[in-house]
Amino acid sequence: MRDARVEPNAASYNDILIHYSRRYDMEMCENLVQDMESQGIELTSYTYDVLLNGYARRGDSESAENVFRRMQHQGLKPDSRAYSTLLRAYANAEDLDGANQILKNMLSERVPPNTHTLNFYLQAHRVKPLSAADGMMSILRSMKTAKNCKPDATTYNIILDWLAGHGARERCAALVKDMAVAAAALAVETERRVRRPLLPESLVALLAALAALALAALTLAALALAALALAAFAAEALGPAAFAAAALAPAASVQRAPSPLAWCSGLRPCCRVPQACR
């Protein structure tokens, strides 16, 4: 880019960072970040998200924590996505204590968790023995009652995989039934929302009447404009004086043809039909 005299910006570097991050080459990512800073290009929230994701996939919670602090030091406030990615790093590192601390910090900063956040938090519980199953089920129940943290298929799959790894067949079967019940309830709720009218019938009727009145007003306005245009055309064609005279003159009397009953008094004896007087 520089050879073509085009200076790269933050978006250009972010695209390259994504490429190396997906290849788990975080050393190259850090070199690119240093290059950005040396060029005076400010790191954006998206830049930090890419770095966090790269370290989270590797399970490098320490480096992810370092990126998180650098983000805060720059004055960028981490959102739910940043906290969720950091939780993912601790989950992949199998560090439940660190995940607990991150979730506490998130709540203390009044950043609302979402489904992805608690899914990563559940993944961090995979290091616990089967005796901790009640704790995981408690998290699942909390997600069901929460507003923005409803469990999804990933939530159930995490718990099912953990239970199956411990050979808890009965608990797996019970959870599958619970998953089916939750899916049915979600389907009913979705259908209810689809069928529920968005507006009351009276308001819909009022809006329809207003729309009809507006259409009638537009039609009258269009007819008035057409009449004005026709009058202007006639005035231009006839001339102002002739147009005014034609507009003010009374209607000409209509001449009627002579009545066939107005016959001449003298009738020719050779004509069977009387002829009109010439």
Side-chain angles (χ1 to χ4, degrees):
M1 292 180 65
R2 293 193 177 98
D3 294 338
R5 296 183 180 180
V6 178
E7 291 296 328
N9 53 19
S12 306
Y13 276 100
N14 288 339
D15 291 338
I16 304 173
L17 282 170
I18 292 173
H19 171 74
Y20 285 105
S21 174
R22 290 174 178 174
R23 295 175 59 182
Y24 299 93
D25 192 350
M26 299 309 298
E27 289 76 16
M28 180 59 73
C29 289
E30 290 293 347
N31 292 334
L32 288 170
V33 170
Q34 292 178 5
D35 191 23
M36 292 176 67
E37 293 174 343
S38 65
Q39 294 294 327
I41 300 176
E42 186 176 1
L43 277 66
T44 64
S45 298
Y46 189 74
T47 307
Y48 286 107
D49 285 340
V50 174
L51 293 174
L52 282 173
N53 272 296
Y55 286 119
R57 282 193 290 265
R58 288 178 24 166
D60 191 349
S61 58
E62 183 178 354
S63 297
E65 184 78 31
N66 184 29
V67 172
F68 193 83
R69 291 174 182 173
R70 285 158 56 188
M71 181 180 182
Q72 291 176 313
H73 181 72
Q74 188 175 325
L76 299 174
K77 185 177 180 180
D79 54 5
S80 300
R81 177 171 180 157
Y83 275 103
S84 300
T85 307
L86 187 57
L87 271 174
R88 181 185 181 186
Y90 280 97
N92 290 338
E94 298 183 349
D95 186 354
L96 180 57
D97 294 334
N100 286 329
Q101 187 61 44
I102 295 302
L103 186 60
K104 289 180 181 178
N105 295 341
M106 184 179 184
L107 297 176
S108 65
E109 292 293 332
R110 295 183 179 180
V111 179
N114 52 34
T115 302
H116 297 292
T117 308
L118 296 185
N119 283 347
F120 290 133
Y121 184 62
L122 281 172
Q123 285 184 0
H125 284 72
R126 293 177 300 180
V127 298
K128 303 199 75 172
L130 185 59
S131 58
D134 293 337
M136 297 189 73
M137 293 301 174
S138 176
I139 297 174
L140 178 61
R141 288 192 294 270
S142 299
M143 293 178 69
K144 290 180 180 179
T145 57
K147 184 178 181 180
N148 298 321
C149 302
K150 297 297 182 182
D152 57 5
T154 302
T155 309
Y156 284 96
N157 289 336
I158 292 171
I159 302 176
L160 284 172
D161 181 69
W162 179 76
L163 291 174
H166 288 81
R169 296 181 179 179
E170 294 181 358
R171 283 183 174 270
C172 285
L175 187 60
V176 169
K177 292 182 180 179
D178 180 73
M179 186 177 181
V181 171
L186 179 62
V188 172
E189 178 65 17
T190 303
E191 184 178 2
R192 184 183 67 84
R193 290 182 179 181
V194 170
R195 291 186 176 183
R196 184 176 57 188
L198 298 177
L199 297 173
E201 294 183 359
S202 58
L203 183 57
V204 172
L206 178 60
L207 292 176
L210 292 176
L213 290 175
L215 181 60
L218 289 175
T219 304
L220 291 176
L223 291 175
L225 290 175
L228 290 175
L230 183 60
F233 177 77
E236 183 179 359
L238 299 176
F243 177 75
L248 297 177
S253 58
V254 180
Q255 295 181 357
R256 296 182 179 180
S259 174
L261 299 179
W263 306 105
C264 180
S265 57
L267 298 179
R268 297 179 183 180
C270 61
C271 297
R272 296 182 180 179
V273 180
Q275 294 183 358
C277 180
R278 295 181 180 180

